[in-house]
Amino acid sequence: MGNNAALRKADRIKEDEFYTQLPDIEKELSHYKEYFKGKTILCNCDDPRISNFFRYFALNFNEFGLKKIISTCYKNQDVDLFSQNDCEKAVYIEYTGNPNDPTSTDFSTMEVKNLKGDGDFRSNECIELLKQADIVVTNPPFSLFREYVTQLIDYSKKFIIIGNQNAISYKEIFKLFKENKLWLGYKSGDMSFRVPADSEPRSTRFWIDENGNKWRSMGNVCWYTNLDTTKRHEDLVLYKTYSSEEYPKFDNYDAINVNKTSDIPMDYYGLMGVPITFFDKYNPDQFDVIDGIGRYSILNNEETKKAGKYLSMVNGKAIYFRIIIKRKK
């Protein structure tokens, strides 16, 4: 059983190895520069020897006025981007800039230290590093996204992280959106990641470049944050008018269905079910988030399970998860 568990864990880690490109990091993080001054940044899923997150902050250490960068990685990482998961030690680094040459882009002389454990973000020694941080910025394991975000909230950390858009439909994540403790950053949609050399080809969104590097593109990736943005205070411009023919009610839930965020009617103030892409345009001053529905209610799961009704059903046809919202008058 122990060996099987280890193999399953190794498979999960392999599936979670997505190396974020520097341009994607630059595009998103350029919006948050005001938050970085005097702060300790933690990249706790990143080998500093290969991580573009670490590289971004190290290159801009003096411009941002950072206090420190801490970067840790799981033991399966190695200095080779395409390691075979045979590194015996998890490593970390604490970087406070290069006083001899602040403009240096050579980080090869950094002192890389060994962690006692495996570098799992849930381990005690990694939690101690987390406690030092002001802002956490990384691409965490998608398969552990619930646990990862829960830990950040439990330790009252500010963060800017990458996740799958479908994570919005997780009850732990959805609740944070509703409570205004979490929202989307500036970029949502397609993003390309470099993946390990032994990654299996996929039928779509997978390619090998001219240098033999393997890539995977994902069309449903978001930046999640709890740092305020200007974007989330912009009103969504509404132009359509309500009609019962175009906006039928759900069969088992007292709300109308809206298939596109852009189609939200400007003259309807009752409950509306919208796609999860709505959160990319969500302004908490314009709308209230009431619930989330699929087969059951995400907030009233036990009671709606017993009812045995598919809540996001329209005219007998079940549709994908809907966010229930209401206009603020």
Side-chain angles (χ1 to χ4, degrees):
M1 289 296 292
N3 288 336
N4 288 337
L7 287 171
R8 287 195 298 272
K9 186 175 183 181
D11 287 340
R12 189 263 301 159
I13 292 165
K14 183 178 176 181
E15 286 298 311
D16 282 333
E17 285 189 89
F18 296 99
Y19 300 96
T20 314
Q21 297 183 82
L22 188 58
D24 289 326
I25 295 170
E26 292 172 333
K27 288 176 186 176
E28 182 68 24
L29 298 191
S30 64
H31 297 285
Y32 304 89
K33 292 180 180 180
E34 64 185 282
Y35 293 108
F36 298 145
K37 187 174 182 180
K39 298 297 192 294
T40 293
I41 305 295
L42 173 65
C43 307
N44 60 348
C45 299
D46 300 271
D47 187 329
R49 299 165 294 187
I50 59 174
S51 166
N52 281 324
F53 282 100
F54 172 81
R55 183 172 179 81
Y56 173 80
F57 283 111
L59 289 172
N60 294 284
F61 192 92
N62 293 290
E63 180 185 343
F64 294 164
L66 296 176
K67 179 181 178 181
K68 184 193 293 187
I69 311 167
I70 304 173
S71 186
T72 70
C73 76
Y74 190 76
K75 69 177 181 180
N76 284 6
Q77 296 291 347
D78 201 352
V79 68
D80 178 4
L81 179 63
F82 303 131
S83 67
Q84 297 302 310
N85 298 334
D86 56 3
C87 183
E88 296 180 356
K89 294 289 185 180
V91 301
Y92 77 105
I93 191 171
E94 295 180 281
Y95 183 75
T96 55
N98 186 340
N100 297 321
D101 184 2
T103 62
S104 175
T105 58
D106 179 14
F107 307 118
S108 61
T109 59
M110 297 182 307
E111 182 185 2
V112 179
K113 305 173 185 177
N114 289 331
L115 289 165
K116 295 178 182 177
D118 61 8
D120 191 307
F121 67 87
R122 298 163 293 187
S123 65
N124 289 334
E125 62 181 338
C126 285
I127 288 174
E128 288 304 311
L129 293 173
L130 173 65
K131 290 177 181 178
Q132 298 181 38
D134 298 299
I135 305 174
V136 179
V137 187
T138 191
N139 181 359
F142 284 7
S143 65
L144 297 174
F145 195 76
R146 291 179 178 89
E147 291 180 70
Y148 188 83
V149 173
T150 297
Q151 184 189 78
L152 295 178
I153 297 297
D154 287 347
Y155 285 91
S156 301
K157 296 302 174 183
K158 297 297 184 181
F159 56 86
I160 311 165
I161 61 175
I162 295 174
N164 191 296
Q165 188 179 61
N166 291 327
I168 291 171
S169 64
Y170 301 164
K171 65 180 181 179
E172 301 89 347
I173 303 301
F174 185 87
K175 183 180 178 182
L176 295 173
F177 273 92
K178 178 173 169 41
E179 295 174 351
N180 208 28
K181 295 178 180 178
L182 172 67
W183 44 88
L184 295 185
Y186 289 88
K187 167 69 176 177
S188 296
D190 189 71
M191 195 179 297
S192 297
F193 301 91
R194 200 172 175 185
V195 295
D198 57 352
S199 296
E200 294 295 329
R202 295 170 181 263
S203 57
T204 59
R205 295 183 172 273
F206 186 97
W207 71 95
I208 302 174
D209 66 23
E210 64 276 9
N211 297 316
N213 300 314
K214 292 184 177 180
W215 295 83
R216 182 178 171 187
S217 175
M218 300 178 69
N220 56 348
V221 174
C222 303
W223 289 86
Y224 292 80
T225 187
N226 59 353
L227 290 169
D228 201 16
T229 66
T230 57
K231 175 184 173 182
R232 66 188 293 262
H233 297 292
E234 297 172 354
D235 276 353
L236 175 64
V237 177
L238 307 175
Y239 67 96
K240 298 200 69 170
T241 55
Y242 168 76
S243 71
S244 57
E245 293 78 17
E246 185 172 359
Y247 300 97
K249 283 197 170 184
F250 295 101
D251 297 350
N252 302 310
Y253 198 97
D254 188 18
I256 63 170
N257 176 53
V258 181
N259 284 319
K260 296 179 181 179
T261 299
S262 59
D263 289 344
I264 294 174
M266 62 181 178
D267 55 348
Y268 190 85
Y269 287 87
L271 299 183
M272 300 176 277
V274 294
I276 60 174
T277 51
F278 164 79
F279 274 136
D280 191 41
K281 304 293 184 181
Y282 173 48
N283 177 348
D285 300 320
Q286 187 179 15
F287 296 96
D288 282 322
V289 174
I290 308 299
D291 199 356
I293 60 171
R295 187 172 180 84
Y296 316 113
S297 161
I298 199 168
L299 299 177
N300 190 15
N301 189 273
E302 292 305 315
E303 185 176 325
T304 53
K305 264 186 178 181
K306 294 174 184 176
K309 297 177 180 179
Y310 212 112
L311 297 184
S312 62
M313 184 175 285
V314 178
N315 297 325
K317 182 180 179 181
I319 57 179
Y320 188 63
F321 184 85
R322 287 291 189 261
I323 301 166
I324 303 299
I325 63 170
K326 187 175 183 180
R327 288 274 303 284
K328 289 186 173 181
K329 295 185 180 180

